[in-house]
Amino acid sequence: LAYFYFTFSDSEKQKLRNMLLSLIGQLSKRPSERGLPAEVVDLYDSSKAIGKPADTKSLKDLLSRIIKSFRKTFIILDALDEFPKDTRKSLLSWIGELTVDHNAGSLSILVTSRPEADIVKSLEPLTTFSISLQSNTIDPDIRSYIQNSLDGRDGLKEFTKEIKMEIEDTLVARAQGMFRWVDCLLRILEECITPKAVRTALQELPKDLDSVYLRILNSIPQAQREYIRRAMHWLAFSAEPLTLGQLAEAIVIEYDVNKYGEDSEPLFNMKSLMSICPSLISFEDARDDQSSIQEDRRLRLAHFSVKEYLISDRTGQGPSAYYHISEDKANLLMAHACLS
């Protein structure tokens, strides 16, 4: 079994070469054998001899040989749609080559992705079984998630049983398979302090993620808007994820050439960054480093759809245009901060 997640928040996880290296590394660790397979050692030695890393073709060939050495191999490729679209063709071609090179009995591949046109076109002919997350197949899963949240979250567990049932039934009926939409709405409901407020919120539910994000951004206090806009640029386009401490330092820098090197006043409490819009920003992996100091934990945008919304034309031309971001603007902003 080998697994790879093409997370949008780390550029190193969006390269075909790095995925191949990861899969080779995982499949080479066989508990029943001592040492690495001979073909892995041979490629390493030959690459070292010429002073260059192995090329992509050599890595593809090596992975294929390793797979053939097993009776059965399972490969999981998670969030294919987060791989950059302009270079995704090479990845999709490789998946096609892999399925042709190995019979179905010896290799199983599980791919998760949103149904982007190029991905559907490439993978549909190869697919023997598909599960749509936009169907009532996963409504029971969403119901379980809502029930656990209502029973476990501090802002929700005090609600009456009747109110909890209303929340559960309403969100399941409207979710259309979107866990992300449900999660954002539960965060909004956490702020309600009376049954009437909950029922009003349920009647005015945003219909889709765009509407949810617009509502969240519009609720940010005026005095904090500029800091959040800077944070979004860093989180969307930084080459590697920033820690909470780094981001808190970066967003208070004035982007003015005449003020380079001037001391910036720090945030009173860097944790306040997380409380302003928790639906948009999260720690890189909530399961890791729980014991570490919060300011040393890495941050990311809470979901790929947040970045998509912020860079989209519809945001640039809509009521949340203030928060519209682009790679060019982000690179300029980050360069200013680094030079300062």
Side-chain angles (χ1 to χ4, degrees):
L1 171 69
Y3 167 89
F4 194 83
Y5 172 34
F6 298 103
T7 175
F8 74 96
S9 62
D10 187 346
S11 59
E12 293 301 306
K13 299 277 181 68
Q14 298 174 4
K15 295 176 180 174
L16 178 61
R17 174 187 169 75
N18 288 351
M19 178 213 68
L20 291 167
L21 287 167
S22 175
L23 298 180
I24 289 167
Q26 292 173 66
L27 292 174
S28 296
K29 294 172 184 172
R30 305 178 195 178
S32 60
E33 293 183 11
R34 300 176 71 177
L36 294 166
E39 53 262 54
V40 175
V41 178
D42 290 345
L43 182 58
Y44 173 78
D45 288 340
S46 61
S47 302
K48 193 176 179 182
I50 60 172
K52 287 184 179 179
D55 59 36
T56 302
K57 184 180 183 308
S58 299
L59 293 173
K60 286 179 182 178
D61 292 342
L62 174 58
L63 179 59
S64 191
R65 292 204 303 276
I66 292 172
I67 291 170
K68 284 176 178 172
S69 71
F70 289 103
R71 187 171 55 83
K72 181 75 177 179
T73 305
F74 296 89
I75 292 177
I76 300 171
L77 303 175
D78 199 3
L80 208 64
D81 54 301
E82 295 186 27
F83 194 94
K85 194 168 185 177
D86 52 348
T87 56
R88 201 155 60 201
K89 188 175 180 181
S90 60
L91 173 62
L92 294 170
S93 298
W94 170 76
I95 295 173
E97 292 164 14
L98 203 60
T99 55
V100 169
D101 201 28
H102 303 271
N103 65 61
S106 64
L107 174 65
S108 292
I109 304 174
L110 172 65
V111 173
T112 73
S113 174
R114 289 178 305 171
E116 301 280 342
D118 60 324
I119 295 173
V120 172
K121 185 179 178 183
S122 293
L123 299 189
E124 207 164 41
L126 312 174
T127 306
T128 52
F129 187 70
S130 63
I131 304 168
S132 170
L133 295 190
Q134 299 297 328
S135 70
N136 57 12
T137 309
I138 63 160
D139 281 353
D141 295 333
I142 287 182
R143 188 177 292 277
S144 291
Y145 177 69
I146 294 168
Q147 288 170 346
N148 285 332
S149 299
L150 292 172
D151 291 339
R153 292 194 193 182
D154 288 340
L156 301 171
K157 61 186 179 186
E158 303 302 326
F159 289 177
T160 63
K161 190 174 181 180
E162 182 186 2
I163 285 292
K164 286 181 179 180
M165 284 300 297
E166 288 182 40
I167 292 172
E168 187 182 316
D169 292 341
T170 304
L171 294 186
V172 170
R174 299 275 300 276
Q176 294 182 306
M178 288 190 289
F179 275 91
R180 176 70 185 147
W181 181 86
V182 169
D183 181 57
C184 290
L185 268 297
L186 286 170
R187 290 180 186 275
I188 289 171
L189 291 169
E190 277 184 278
E191 297 167 12
C192 298
I193 57 174
T194 66
K196 183 179 179 182
V198 171
R199 290 189 172 108
T200 301
L202 290 174
Q203 288 170 0
E204 299 171 354
L205 289 179
K207 67 180 186 299
D208 53 25
L209 280 176
D210 274 17
S211 307
V212 172
Y213 294 150
L214 174 60
R215 180 167 169 172
I216 293 167
L217 292 170
N218 284 345
S219 69
I220 295 171
Q222 183 73 28
Q224 297 167 349
R225 292 176 70 196
E226 177 59 26
Y227 298 115
I228 294 300
R229 179 166 68 169
R230 290 176 191 168
M232 294 301 157
H233 275 100
W234 278 96
L235 292 171
F237 293 108
S238 175
E240 57 182 67
L242 271 65
T243 64
L244 176 57
Q246 289 170 330
L247 187 65
E249 187 180 332
I251 64 170
V252 296
I253 296 172
E254 292 285 334
Y255 301 104
D256 182 342
V257 176
N258 299 314
K259 294 182 179 179
Y260 273 6
E262 289 185 12
D263 287 339
S264 302
E265 294 185 333
L267 298 177
F268 286 123
N269 181 358
M270 63 181 69
K271 293 176 186 173
S272 61
L273 251 181
M274 300 299 294
S275 62
I276 296 169
C277 45
S279 295
L280 303 183
I281 301 174
S282 67
F283 287 110
E284 173 116 279
D285 193 337
R287 296 167 297 180
D288 290 348
D289 303 324
Q290 287 286 19
S291 59
S292 62
I293 302 166
Q294 212 171 39
E295 66 187 77
D296 294 335
R297 292 178 64 192
R298 302 202 303 178
L299 291 174
R300 64 176 177 84
L301 293 175
H303 195 260
F304 187 43
S305 58
V306 177
K307 180 175 179 178
E308 283 195 321
Y309 175 73
L310 293 171
I311 66 176
S312 68
D313 290 340
R314 59 187 184 277
T315 300
Q317 296 158 8
S320 54
Y322 178 84
Y323 294 101
H324 182 255
I325 63 176
S326 72
E327 190 163 11
D328 287 345
K329 283 193 287 186
N331 285 331
L332 189 59
L333 177 147
M334 291 188 287
H336 269 303
C338 292
L339 287 169
S340 186

